[in-house]
Amino acid sequence: MAAKKYELTKQEALALYARMVLTRLTEARHEELFQTQKVPVYTHLGTGQEATGCGVSTFLEKKDFLIGTHRGVAEYVGKGLSVTDIFLEYGGRANSISGGRAGLHLHSPELNILPLAGSLGTDFSLAVGAGLSIRNLELGAVVVDYFGEGAAEQVDFHPALNMASLYHLPVIFACCTNQFVEYHPYRDTTCTADIAPRAEGYCMAWRIVEDGNDIFAVGRAMKEALTHARSGRGPFFLEFKTYRLAPHHTGDPCVYREAGEVEEAWKRDPIPRAEKELLKRRWAAKKDLERIAGESRAAIEEAVRKLAASPLPDPATVWDNI
């Protein structure tokens, strides 16, 4: 009954799918722009993780806060950040949200997307601080902290979970377990296969989504976590199991994993899986999927045009905001 309560509607499923497609095509264009020296920021692609990345943010309200990652753009696209704003930031343009200063660290004050922490794993404290502000100011919002299993090994992780539970903060800790920590498999460095059960030690509700490539499983879990956090019952910990199909970054030879393993993982690519399910449910026809892809490509082309027409910052402004 609980699962049925949080089932996705047709509109929600199509919105999530559209953001996944936009994410995949945006990342592909980012790689192309970097390789042709149109933007200086190299890629940390989130290929294969779109269901999880978009899933943690697509169901948020504008008043909700998000702390994202440096891997790809899925969670930012899910929250509503435009491709134009993403490319202007990657291109270091004067008319980007940061005035050409953020680079890979996407953010948006208008959309309540908080700046990415400079050191991975230190964002847990930012999530607690945001949660405290939400509670004290009675904003009625939640904050989602999205991170990978490698970041969960950082020292800030445990005290942040403890404080979030102690003060019953509206924080959703969303861990994307993509099987790799930079240049090595996660299983080679940590004795436990799961992250989420650690939350139990801090009296925190938690759930593992074993198939993080299933948009319906991801959506149900996220809607459950949002209901819990909004109700005043404190934080919720989600862990999504998926697979990083892409290298750690541009140029990574990926010598630490077998080609056969990656080939098998491609068979679980969340985008064609979502398409198959949407067609099966008759929630979309092939023409609808083609329209979504076409709209995504048009948005990307418009963003590229604006990138090319936008100026770099005046060097005289280098000391501004310091």
Side-chain angles (χ1 to χ4, degrees):
M1 291 296 294
K4 188 175 181 61
K5 176 181 177 182
Y6 301 115
E7 193 61 67
L8 270 63
T9 65
K10 174 183 175 180
Q11 183 179 7
E12 289 171 336
L14 287 171
L16 177 52
Y17 168 75
R19 286 165 171 80
M20 290 165 60
V21 172
L22 180 57
T23 295
R24 178 71 63 88
L25 295 175
T26 296
E27 288 197 328
R29 196 55 182 272
H30 177 198
E31 179 73 28
E32 178 185 322
L33 291 169
F34 174 75
Q35 296 290 357
T36 55
Q37 300 182 351
K38 299 292 177 39
V39 298
V41 174
Y42 68 159
T43 63
H44 289 74
L45 303 178
T47 311
Q49 303 173 199
E50 292 89 354
T52 295
C54 293
V56 300
S57 54
T58 293
F59 306 106
L60 298 181
E61 298 177 17
K62 187 175 182 179
K63 65 181 179 180
D64 296 327
F65 291 82
L66 171 71
I67 299 174
T69 70
H70 65 281
R71 178 161 306 288
V73 300
E75 62 269 31
Y76 305 110
V77 168
K79 190 68 165 70
L81 191 64
S82 71
V83 182
T84 295
D85 282 333
I86 292 168
F87 282 176
L88 290 177
E89 205 68 82
Y90 285 168
R93 296 307 199 261
N95 54 339
S96 74
I97 291 174
S98 74
R101 288 163 169 77
L104 196 63
H105 293 194
L106 299 173
H107 65 286
S108 171
E110 179 185 357
L111 297 174
N112 286 344
I113 299 174
L114 300 176
L116 182 63
S119 178
L120 290 180
T122 59
D123 50 282
F124 300 117
S125 300
L126 301 181
V128 170
L132 281 167
S133 295
I134 289 170
R135 186 199 67 180
N136 294 344
L137 297 173
E138 299 181 350
L139 300 179
V142 303
V143 56
V144 173
D145 186 11
Y146 184 58
F147 56 93
E149 70 267 48
E153 303 302 319
Q154 299 296 322
V155 295
D156 286 5
F157 177 83
H158 293 282
L161 263 62
N162 182 54
M163 288 186 69
S165 279
L166 185 64
Y167 297 118
H168 303 288
L169 301 181
V171 180
I172 297 174
F173 295 97
C175 179
C176 174
T177 299
N178 67 12
Q179 313 307 319
F180 297 98
V181 181
E182 292 189 316
Y183 309 108
H184 57 266
Y186 177 72
R187 60 182 177 267
D188 291 349
T189 63
T190 304
C191 60
T192 57
D194 303 321
I195 303 295
R198 300 178 189 180
E200 192 165 332
Y202 301 105
C203 307
M204 187 182 301
W206 59 275
R207 181 177 296 282
I208 296 175
V209 179
E210 293 291 349
D211 189 354
N213 290 1
D214 177 354
I215 65 170
F216 295 94
V218 170
R220 285 193 298 267
M222 191 63 198
K223 291 175 74 173
E224 178 186 3
L226 283 167
T227 299
H228 178 97
R230 293 195 199 282
S231 70
R233 288 182 284 166
F236 201 104
F237 197 106
L238 290 173
E239 180 177 7
F240 302 96
K241 299 298 182 73
T242 183
Y243 192 92
R244 193 192 82 202
L245 294 171
H248 175 54
H249 56 62
T250 303
D252 173 18
C254 284
V255 296
Y256 46 85
R257 62 186 188 184
E258 299 293 332
E261 177 182 319
V262 182
E263 290 174 6
E264 283 299 311
W266 270 105
K267 296 177 182 179
R268 302 188 295 275
D269 184 341
I271 292 180
R273 282 185 60 184
E275 292 173 348
K276 183 177 180 180
E277 185 62 27
L278 289 170
L279 292 171
K280 178 182 176 182
R281 295 187 182 209
R282 296 185 179 180
W283 283 6
K286 288 187 177 180
K287 65 178 181 180
D288 298 314
L289 305 182
E290 292 170 356
R291 174 183 53 77
I292 288 171
E295 290 172 351
S296 296
R297 293 190 181 95
I300 291 168
E301 291 310 311
E302 177 63 18
V304 171
R305 285 193 290 271
K306 290 183 177 178
L307 171 69
S310 298
L312 292 169
D314 184 343
T317 66
V318 68
W319 298 112
D320 290 358
N321 307 310
I322 295 178

